[in-house]
Amino acid sequence: MHAILDALASTSRFDMPSGEVSPLARLGDELHIPEGVTNPRAWLEKYLLPQKPLSDQDAKEVAPRGPNRDTIGQRFFEQWQVAQFVQRRYAPSFLPRTHPKAAAKVSQFVDGRQELLLMEPVVGTRVHLEDDLQAISQEFLAFRELFRTANMNKQPVFIAYVMTRGHMAAVGAAHQVLSKAADLVINVDDPTQREPFLKRIVDVGSSATPQGKLPLQ
């Protein structure tokens, strides 16, 4: 399903013969969303996407669909060949284990000589996008408060990078929700934003490495 969605996200027209968009899916006849539907995306998911009947056990414990945000984000870094500079699950090591925030983690980080890039992926096609953004906002704000009282020897930079997967409204939503929490909200589907972002990861990651050596994946 995710492979099909990725193929559809990069398609600009749908009048091609079935199979040319993705070998995994066939295009059917054009369907119209009924009048009065206020949330077209929710209607499509409910009435057109395949639905697995829930057993009693499934109803009690519904497993999450698809990979986690941080896994999708790591795949993005691997795709653009900068994953060797990106570490996963930043935790505040300067806090004692008994501190209530000691278990807090940021999905990805790049530890440089002068900067610490703290990064959270935003996936535009996730059903609970608003919940994701609220969680990222709370996480970033909590870390900002921690860093105010910590003796940091480098500048933390909070970055949310948006993989729209064709859902461009996710960029605006991220800017709105994260306006006070993130230093940067980057649309990585836009080359003019993606390229400087990737270069910054390389520059910051390389700055903490002895000249002539690269960190291994």
Side-chain angles (χ1 to χ4, degrees), residues 44-57:
L44 287 169
E45 290 174 345
K46 182 176 181 180
Y47 293 103
L48 293 185
L49 292 183
Q51 301 290 326
K52 174 187 174 184
L54 292 179
S55 65
D56 292 339
Q57 183 63 25

Side-chain angles (χ1 to χ4, degrees), residues 1-211:
M1 178 63 75
H2 281 284
I4 294 171
L5 290 175
D6 287 341
L8 293 176
S10 61
T11 300
S12 59
R13 46 189 287 259
F14 292 96
D15 58 345
M16 296 176 287
S18 184
E20 288 192 15
V21 174
S22 169
L24 303 175
R26 296 182 62 85
L27 300 181
D29 296 332
E30 179 180 334
L31 299 176
H32 295 276
I33 296 175
E35 294 183 7
V37 173
T38 58
N39 190 335
R41 181 178 175 181
W43 185 90
L44 287 169
E45 290 174 345
K46 182 176 181 180
Y47 293 103
L48 293 185
L49 292 183
Q51 301 290 326
K52 174 187 174 184
L54 292 179
S55 65
D56 292 339
Q57 183 63 25
D58 289 335
K60 294 178 182 178
E61 300 180 5
V62 179
R65 296 188 302 174
N68 296 329
R69 281 191 305 109
D70 57 345
T71 301
I72 296 174
Q74 197 65 22
R75 290 176 181 171
F76 166 78
F77 293 131
E78 291 169 358
Q79 175 188 355
W80 291 99
Q81 301 179 357
V82 297
Q84 65 268 35
F85 299 102
V86 180
Q87 302 180 61
R88 304 183 74 169
R89 313 300 289 169
Y90 174 83
S93 57
F94 54 83
L95 291 179
R97 292 184 180 180
T98 55
H99 194 285
K101 297 293 185 182
K105 291 181 175 64
V106 178
S107 292
Q108 288 116 1
F109 68 101
V110 180
D111 196 3
R113 179 169 300 185
Q114 296 180 328
E115 286 186 323
L116 173 65
L117 306 183
L118 299 165
M119 307 180 296
E120 283 288 354
V122 177
V123 183
T125 51
R126 278 173 63 91
V127 175
H128 301 294
L129 174 62
E130 189 70 22
D131 293 340
D132 289 344
L133 293 174
Q134 291 293 342
I136 293 171
S137 177
Q138 293 173 10
E139 174 190 278
F140 279 179
L141 291 174
F143 268 92
R144 284 186 182 278
E145 188 62 32
L146 288 175
F147 291 151
R148 285 192 186 99
T149 59
N151 185 20
M152 298 288 291
N153 60 358
K154 58 192 70 177
Q155 178 64 37
V157 182
F158 295 88
I159 302 173
Y161 59 99
V162 185
M163 296 167 284
T164 68
R165 294 190 167 187
H167 186 54
M168 296 303 300
V171 178
H175 276 286
Q176 182 177 3
V177 176
L178 302 175
S179 60
K180 296 181 179 179
D183 295 307
L184 295 170
V185 175
I186 299 170
N187 174 11
V188 294
D189 291 343
D190 179 356
T192 64
Q193 298 182 47
R194 180 181 64 243
E195 295 306 322
F197 175 46
L198 297 175
K199 184 178 184 301
R200 188 170 190 176
I201 288 174
V202 174
D203 290 345
V204 172
S206 300
S207 71
T209 305
Q211 189 172 7

